[in-house]
Amino acid sequence: MASLPPVLLVAVLLACLSARTQARLFGQNRTIESFHNRSMCSHIRPDELPSECACREPGPYSLVIECLKTFNSTHFNDQIGMKINIDPCNKDGSRVSLDITEQTHNIDYPITGIRAGEANMIPIPGLAIAVPTLGHVGLDAAVLITGNPDSLTLKIGLNACVQLATTNTMCASSIPGLNKILPWYVLSGTYSFGDICKNNRTGILEATVMQSEEAIAIVKKQEKFEKEMMEVKME
């Protein structure tokens, strides 16, 4: 049976090493998770979410909150979907992205790249509320994200604002009737993801160190093997 060329053999061994290392780290992370018995969703206090919302975890270090909110009032009668993707452990700073949907008018409006340190009132194209004396008041995604994973302040939901002739902006909380239904917030508080994010950073560092150390050991074994083979040939 033909033997593999040395370079190819090293590549195969490194690939096997990577798989073993990942499996080992995955087991360690699962053990840590079980020890703390806390999921990503538990960090945003899910019992405080509106009844129209639910939290899920697409990965070990991110979470998604999905809502389907029905507004049933004289001013606004519609059903709005909101998907909030929170990435607190991002190496470039905590981030949030949104997706706003409304079926009647086929609206699907994604909002991405909102970083810690931002406070935005983002108009949603195609969605407005008719208000007597004011005209059409646009529906907005209200987003505030400040801080770091240890203390991350999030205020995310829906609001409605209109630009007045005086260059001032009037929002739902100041509009009689509309103030009974808006603003509507999914999240409004300060949350701590420090323990989860620390595990993430530790896991990445351990993987790098373990792969480096074991890769060096494999290369040394390969060099020793080649040296022994050369000595056999010389004999």
Side-chain angles (χ1 to χ4, degrees), residues 52-94:
E52 303 91 345
C53 303
C55 181
R56 62 181 177 86
E57 301 173 29
Y61 303 107
S62 64
L63 60 90
V64 172
I65 300 171
E66 293 176 297
C67 309
L68 190 59
K69 172 65 174 176
T70 299
F71 293 94
N72 188 7
S73 73
T74 304
H75 294 296
F76 191 40
N77 193 340
D78 207 341
Q79 192 173 63
I80 307 296
M82 174 177 270
K83 181 179 179 182
I84 305 170
N85 193 320
I86 305 173
D87 182 12
C89 303
N90 192 294
K91 63 182 180 64
D92 297 321
S94 301

Side-chain angles (χ1 to χ4, degrees), residues 205-218:
L205 179 61
E206 286 179 352
T208 302
V209 172
M210 289 171 64
Q211 285 184 335
S212 298
E213 291 177 348
E214 294 186 21
I216 291 171
I218 288 176

Side-chain angles (χ1 to χ4, degrees), residues 83-216:
K83 181 179 179 182
I84 305 170
N85 193 320
I86 305 173
D87 182 12
C89 303
N90 192 294
K91 63 182 180 64
D92 297 321
S94 301
R95 296 188 179 189
V96 167
S97 62
L98 309 176
D99 191 17
I100 311 297
T101 58
E102 194 266 2
Q103 292 186 349
T104 303
H105 301 93
N106 297 316
I107 293 171
D108 188 343
Y109 187 60
I111 304 169
T112 60
I114 306 171
R115 301 182 181 185
E118 296 185 22
N120 297 311
M121 197 73 74
I122 305 166
I124 304 168
L127 285 178
I129 304 168
V131 179
T133 72
L134 289 177
H136 287 85
V137 180
L139 193 67
D140 302 321
V143 185
L144 174 122
I145 172 172
T146 61
N148 56 58
D150 290 319
S151 181
L152 191 65
T153 298
L154 298 169
K155 194 168 186 178
I156 304 172
L158 297 171
N159 204 344
C161 298
V162 62
Q163 189 76 36
L164 301 177
T166 58
T167 70
N168 292 327
T169 300
M170 179 180 286
C171 292
S173 58
S174 301
I175 302 173
L178 203 55
N179 59 2
K180 295 181 179 179
I181 59 172
L182 291 171
W184 177 75
Y185 289 107
V186 177
L187 292 170
S188 182
T190 299
Y191 311 93
S192 177
F193 300 94
D195 56 337
I196 292 285
C197 295
K198 182 180 179 181
N199 288 342
N200 183 26
R201 291 191 295 269
T202 301
I204 292 173
L205 179 61
E206 286 179 352
T208 302
V209 172
M210 289 171 64
Q211 285 184 335
S212 298
E213 291 177 348
E214 294 186 21
I216 291 171

